[in-house]
């Protein structure tokens, strides 16, 4: 390894050029990262029940149907039925909607199986006609709890979407257009109109995933930058870890795009996870750099010494982390396997950048003028106090740790598994 370390120190410009080209390549592809909010990614791929589910979907068609609910005191009233008819007609014209079925356009196979006439040939105009329609539907239970509630206080409009990819579904804004029609009808009142179903859930999940990623990754990165500034109090102490984090994210996301793997409900935590992991290894390198710099010498000698002292421990630490994530590959849920695979790839990239790019940059910079303890003096004193407390009270701390571990172990059998998809969202 010493020959590798010497090559990094002697040719830092060439090293950085190669990394810059690779970053541009992966970054060009990373911009095409897709989000997959489908619940299919959370299903057990090897389970017999999933195979049966896929068979039923292939036989009878997709179960991803949108449902528009209309709530009123009496949905059989002429005005309410007219509203259902208008909603049915407007939604059916949305690009990407294949068919819309409601009370106002449903067929009546009870009347004629071969050529079923409309269930409601003409909308009722009087209360007597509305009562007659209600009596008619009472004799046809196939419509109850499907297109109309038994008590007549709610009606459903089933929206069947055309076969398309999630990207097409999003680009055509199918869900947004249906939701806009529903919102307009709901605002007009007095009936309450709502929109639900798996496609709407998927679209909402995708929007939430995108919002969370655009919100939490920058916020988390900002917090890391502030902490780095407080700890190292130097420009290079902030810039190098931040660069390592960003390049790690770009490379990992670029590899995912090249492999055709989108961010799913199971892997959406990957960007913030890599943010934490990538910063940790770079911090070890920088901390050792500042300690070596206190002894003086040339930048090349200091960087070479830090690589010799930190290279092996960091690589061993990374290997244990990679092995831990790769254990997820045995999971039968596809998105969990992907989380393990790409987390491992991200850790390897972070190690490569921390032991190659960061030292190459440090070798090109002059040594910082520091004195012992200049960086993070307050934090160092507090950490030293904690360490002293642990040493002085080691028996009590060990006993307390064992007792707490046993207590927690007794609660493991009480862990509950919850697959309620609604729990992905906040209550509001």
């Amino acid at each position: 390894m010493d020959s590798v370390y010497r090559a990094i120190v002697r040719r830092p410009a060439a090293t950085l050029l190669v990394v810059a080209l690779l970053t541009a390549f992966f970054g060009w592809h990373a911009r095409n990262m897709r989000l997959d909010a489908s619940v299919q990614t959370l299903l057990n791929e090897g389970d017999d029940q999933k195979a049966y589910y896929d068979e039923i979907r292939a036989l009878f068609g997709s179960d991803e149907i949108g449902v528009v609910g209309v709530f009123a005191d009496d949905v059989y009233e002429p005005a309410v039925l007219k509203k259902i008819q208008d909603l049915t007609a407007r939604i059916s014209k949305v690009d990407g909607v294949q068919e819309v079925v409601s009370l106002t356009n449903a067929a009546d196979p009870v009347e004629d199986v071969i050529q079923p006439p409309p269930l409601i040939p003409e909308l009722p105009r009087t209360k007597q006609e509305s009562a007659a329609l209600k009596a008619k539907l009472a004799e046809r239970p196939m419509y109850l709890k499907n297109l109309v509630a038994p008590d007549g206080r709610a009606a459903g409009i089933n929206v069947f979407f055309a076969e398309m990819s999630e990207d097409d579904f999003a680009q055509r804004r199918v869900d947004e257009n249906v939701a806009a029609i529903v919102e307009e009808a709901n605002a007009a009142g007095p009936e309450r109109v709502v929109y639900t179903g798996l496609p709407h859930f998927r679209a909402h999940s995708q929007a939430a995933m995108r919002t969370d990623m655009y919100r939490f990754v920058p916020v988390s990165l900002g917090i890391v930058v502030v902490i780095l500034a407080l700890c190292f109090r130097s420009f290079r102490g902030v810039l190098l870890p931040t660069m390592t984090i960003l390049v790690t994210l770009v490379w990992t996301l670029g590899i995912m795009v090249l492999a055709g793997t989108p961010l799913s409900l199971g892997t959406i935590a990957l960007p913030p996870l890599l943010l934490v992991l990538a910063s940790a290894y770079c911090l070890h390198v920088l901390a050792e750099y500042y300690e070596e710099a206190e002894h003086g010498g040339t930048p090349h000698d200091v960087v070479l010494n830090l690589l010799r002292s930190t290279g092996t421990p960091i690589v061993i630490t990374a290997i244990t982390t990679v092995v831990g994530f790769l254990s997820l590959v045995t999971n039968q849920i596809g998105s969990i396997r992907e989380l393990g695979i790409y987390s491992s790839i991200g850790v390897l990239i972070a190690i490569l950048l921390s032991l190659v790019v960061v030292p190459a940059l440090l070798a090109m910079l002059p040594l910082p003028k520091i004195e012992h303890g200049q960086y993070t003096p307050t934090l160092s004193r507090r950490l030293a106090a904690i360490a002293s407390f642990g040493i002085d009270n080691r028996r009590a701390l060990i006993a307390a740790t064992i007792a707490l571990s046993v207590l927690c172990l007794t609660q493991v059998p009480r862990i509950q598994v919850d697959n309620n998809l609604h729990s992905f969202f906040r209550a509001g």
Side-chain angles (χ1 to χ4, degrees), residues 15 40 86 131 135-136 188 194 205 210 249-250 264 268 275 300 337 355 392 399 422:
T15 301
Q40 302 293 324
D86 293 341
K136 178 181 179 179
V194 297
S205 299
R210 184 178 292 105
L249 285 175
V250 169
S264 64
I268 190 62
L275 187 149
H300 287 194
R337 288 203 308 270
L355 292 180
D392 296 339
H422 294 91

Side-chain angles (χ1 to χ4, degrees), residues 68-199:
V68 176
V70 180
F71 297 86
D73 293 335
D74 185 3
V75 297
Y76 295 105
E77 291 183 358
V80 180
L81 288 174
K82 183 64 169 64
K83 190 166 194 173
I84 294 174
Q85 185 182 55
D86 293 341
L87 279 169
T88 302
R90 292 186 62 188
I91 294 174
S92 64
K93 295 178 181 178
V94 172
D95 179 31
V97 173
Q98 182 175 359
E99 184 183 11
V100 181
V101 179
S102 70
L103 282 174
T104 60
N105 72 340
D108 186 8
V110 177
E111 190 72 25
D112 187 341
V113 177
I114 305 301
Q115 294 180 339
L119 177 65
I120 306 178
E122 292 184 7
L123 295 183
R125 294 183 293 268
T126 64
K127 290 185 177 181
Q128 290 77 12
E129 292 179 353
S130 296
L133 175 60
K134 187 173 183 179
K136 178 181 179 179
L137 288 174
E139 299 174 354
R140 290 159 170 75
M142 62 182 294
Y143 298 106
L144 300 181
K145 297 185 179 180
N146 184 9
L147 296 180
V148 64
D151 61 2
R153 298 175 64 87
I157 303 174
N158 293 333
V159 183
F160 298 84
F161 298 99
E163 288 291 335
M164 68 185 82
S165 66
E166 287 205 22
D167 290 338
D168 288 340
F169 191 84
Q171 290 174 4
R172 295 189 192 183
R173 299 180 59 83
V174 182
D175 184 77
E176 290 88 338
N177 292 332
V178 174
I181 295 173
V182 171
E183 183 61 30
E184 182 180 339
N186 186 56
E191 299 82 17
R192 187 165 67 94
V193 185
V194 297
Y195 173 41
T196 185
L198 281 177

Side-chain angles (χ1 to χ4, degrees), residues 24-39:
F25 172 76
F26 288 123
W28 176 259
H29 291 282
R31 64 191 180 89
N32 296 320
M33 172 56 67
R34 296 184 296 110
L35 298 179
D36 182 4
S38 173
V39 296

Side-chain angles (χ1 to χ4, degrees), residues 22 44 85 89 129 153 214 241 271 283 304 317 369 384-385 389 414 417:
L22 288 173
N44 188 336
Q85 185 182 55
E129 292 179 353
R153 298 175 64 87
Y214 290 161
L283 290 179
L304 190 59
T317 304
K369 297 179 180 180
F389 177 83
R414 300 180 62 182
V417 178

Side-chain angles (χ1 to χ4, degrees), residues 4 19 24 47 101 117 124 135 141 154 162 166 212 218 223 256 301 311 344 346 361 376 416:
V4 176
V19 171
D47 188 74
V101 179
E166 287 205 22
D212 288 346
I223 293 174
M256 291 182 68
D301 293 337
S344 301
L361 284 169
T376 65
Q416 297 181 357

Side-chain angles (χ1 to χ4, degrees), residues 46-65:
D47 188 74
D48 293 338
Q49 295 296 327
K50 183 180 183 299
Y52 177 71
Y53 172 63
D54 293 337
E55 181 182 349
I56 294 299
R57 282 167 55 93
L59 184 62
F60 294 101
S62 174
D63 60 351
E64 295 190 355
I65 303 170

Side-chain angles (χ1 to χ4, degrees), residues 216-226 228 241-242 245-246 249 275:
F216 291 124
V217 171
V219 169
S220 301
L221 183 61
I223 293 174
V224 170
V225 169
V226 171
L228 290 171
T242 303
I245 293 170
L246 293 177
L249 285 175
L275 187 149

